[in-house]
Amino acid sequence: MAQARDAIITKAWYQGAIWLYLLWPLSLIYYAVISIRKFFYRLGLFKVHSVKVPVVVVGNITVGGTGKSPLVCHLVESLREKGFNPGIVSRGYGAKLGNYQVREVFAHSLVSEVGDEPLMLKKKLECRIFVSPSRVLAAKTLEKAGCDIIISDDGLQHYALHRDIEICVFDGQRKWGNGHLLPMGPLREPISRLQSIPYLVVNGASNAGSYGQSGLNQKEFSMLLQADSIISMNKQQTKPLTFFSGRSVHAVAAIGHPERFFTTLSAAGITLETHAFGDHHAYQKSDFEFSQNLPIIMTEKDAVKCELFNLNDAWFLPVSATLNGDLAGQIIKDVGLD
């Protein structure tokens, strides 16, 4: 029921449904709350904590998936190639953590311990990752562990942690939806927030200059997500995505924007029985009791939650980000590490 409700609201945000104006009073309250909170940080009533190494926040101002995690992977790999020792901090959404508890992510960690996205990142990257409801504590732990630059996966609105660089990732097709704040629209913060963010990364197609603000001086990068191969859940087989062309599969996704995943599969000539769940959905094996016995293809984030189910003929689709410029190199210059 909750998933169906969320899907209806999300669809309405991006189609400009008139009935959303009924939520306008709630959006005003939301705006008042975030404005007061931000004002308190500026006054120093809420403390901002710093660490001695540069902090780069990769986030967005909308609800839902925009491609933050692939960009984080790209940055970590690029920084390592340039000789740096980056680390990642994350909220660890869904993890069972106390408010002041910090936990390191290992490849054998459980989703219930660290969250799905941090575990997915750890399985892809050779770097230290810490999760905590307090990104400040996680960042200080990474600093003690010897990291020389910290990447915060999400956290544009987590003002308690001082940041040297902010990066806003957004969907080049959906952009800002109807342009309204939650719950009337998908925005976590007003579009004017972009004026203080030095880097914009556009995921996928976009119309130049239609970002909702004019006269911005940010450095803009285009990002494409590439998905060439699929991997079996037991990691024993790797096939080109075209291996399933002309066949029918169950396409499973519990991410912020599942339609992007479904479109990728359809573009490869695959016929889909789609199964969209809420972002960060805690899967049960019963979720895969489908009426038709077809291969299953899911996202990489879903796979870390389903490895122990021993699903038959199940695969996941890893993606990698490519950018039209050297974002890591620009960051190194801006934070004075060159």
Side-chain angles (χ1 to χ4, degrees):
M1 180 69 85
Q3 292 171 3
R5 178 202 62 208
D6 292 346
I8 291 171
I9 293 176
T10 300
K11 186 176 181 180
W13 286 340
Y14 293 98
Q15 293 184 347
I18 299 298
W19 63 265
L20 286 170
Y21 280 90
L22 296 172
L23 303 177
W24 181 63
L26 296 178
S27 290
L28 285 179
I29 295 172
Y30 176 81
Y31 176 71
V33 170
I34 63 173
S35 298
I36 292 170
R37 177 174 173 267
K38 196 169 184 178
F39 182 64
F40 282 179
Y41 273 110
R42 287 177 177 171
L43 284 181
L45 298 177
F46 291 168
K47 188 174 181 180
V48 178
H49 301 265
S50 300
V51 292
K52 295 178 181 178
V53 301
V55 174
V56 178
V57 174
V58 178
N60 59 24
I61 63 168
T62 58
V63 173
T66 57
K68 294 188 305 296
S69 294
L71 180 59
V72 167
C73 285
H74 174 85
L75 285 177
V76 168
E77 290 171 341
S78 296
L79 289 167
R80 286 179 60 85
E81 289 174 0
K82 296 176 186 296
F84 293 94
N85 181 27
I88 299 172
V89 298
S90 173
R91 168 63 178 84
Y93 185 89
K96 297 176 181 177
L97 287 164
N99 288 336
Y100 300 100
Q101 186 176 4
V102 181
R103 182 173 292 154
E104 184 166 7
V105 182
F106 299 99
H108 60 266
S109 295
L110 300 177
V111 171
S112 60
E113 296 173 334
V114 299
D116 51 11
E117 289 178 350
L119 182 56
M120 177 191 71
L121 291 171
K122 185 62 182 181
K123 289 178 180 290
K124 291 172 70 74
L125 298 169
E126 291 293 329
C127 75
R128 304 289 291 274
I129 303 176
F130 286 92
V131 296
S132 174
S134 169
R135 286 185 175 84
V136 173
L137 293 179
K140 289 182 176 179
T141 306
L142 267 182
E143 182 183 28
K144 292 178 181 177
C147 292
D148 50 23
I149 186 167
I150 294 172
I151 309 294
S152 176
D153 183 11
D154 209 354
L156 277 182
Q157 294 78 35
H158 190 83
Y159 293 112
L161 177 62
H162 170 80
R163 67 286 311 271
D164 298 272
I165 296 289
E166 290 183 324
I167 302 170
C168 178
V169 189
F170 69 94
D171 189 313
Q173 294 179 325
R174 301 199 302 173
K175 300 184 180 66
W176 323 118
N178 59 13
H180 292 291
L181 291 169
L182 291 167
M184 185 178 171
L187 292 179
R188 298 176 176 181
E189 296 183 274
I191 294 176
S192 59
R193 171 74 163 89
L194 297 177
Q195 295 174 354
S196 64
I197 300 175
Y199 290 96
L200 298 181
V201 176
V202 189
N203 181 6
S206 68
N207 297 319
S210 61
Y211 303 147
Q213 291 283 291
S214 60
L216 298 181
N217 297 316
Q218 288 94 339
K219 300 179 179 71
E220 297 172 5
F221 290 81
S222 296
M223 178 175 74
L224 293 177
L225 300 183
Q226 294 184 320
D228 301 319
S229 301
I230 55 173
I231 302 173
S232 61
M233 290 291 289
N234 61 9
K235 312 285 180 40
Q236 297 299 310
Q237 298 183 71
T238 299
K239 301 284 187 181
L241 184 55
T242 53
F243 176 76
F244 285 98
S245 297
R247 300 171 61 184
S248 296
V249 305
H250 291 293
V252 178
I255 56 178
H257 185 27
E259 289 77 14
R260 184 189 294 120
F261 172 65
F262 298 149
T263 299
T264 299
L265 297 182
S266 296
I270 305 172
T271 301
L272 308 182
E273 293 287 334
T274 61
H275 308 273
F277 297 87
D279 197 11
H280 302 287
H281 175 68
Y283 284 104
Q284 305 293 322
K285 192 170 184 179
S286 58
D287 290 328
F288 299 91
E289 294 176 355
F290 304 126
S291 58
Q292 291 181 281
N293 185 21
L294 300 173
I296 299 169
I297 302 179
M298 64 184 70
T299 72
E300 195 169 14
K301 188 170 84 169
D302 296 311
V304 300
K305 295 181 283 190
C306 302
E307 290 176 333
L308 301 180
F309 292 162
N310 295 318
L311 299 173
N312 292 322
D313 203 6
W315 306 74
F316 67 90
L317 182 69
V319 297
S320 59
T322 59
L323 273 67
N324 66 338
D326 185 7
L327 176 56
Q330 288 286 334
I331 290 171
I332 290 168
K333 290 180 182 178
D334 285 356
V335 300
L337 293 178
D338 54 341

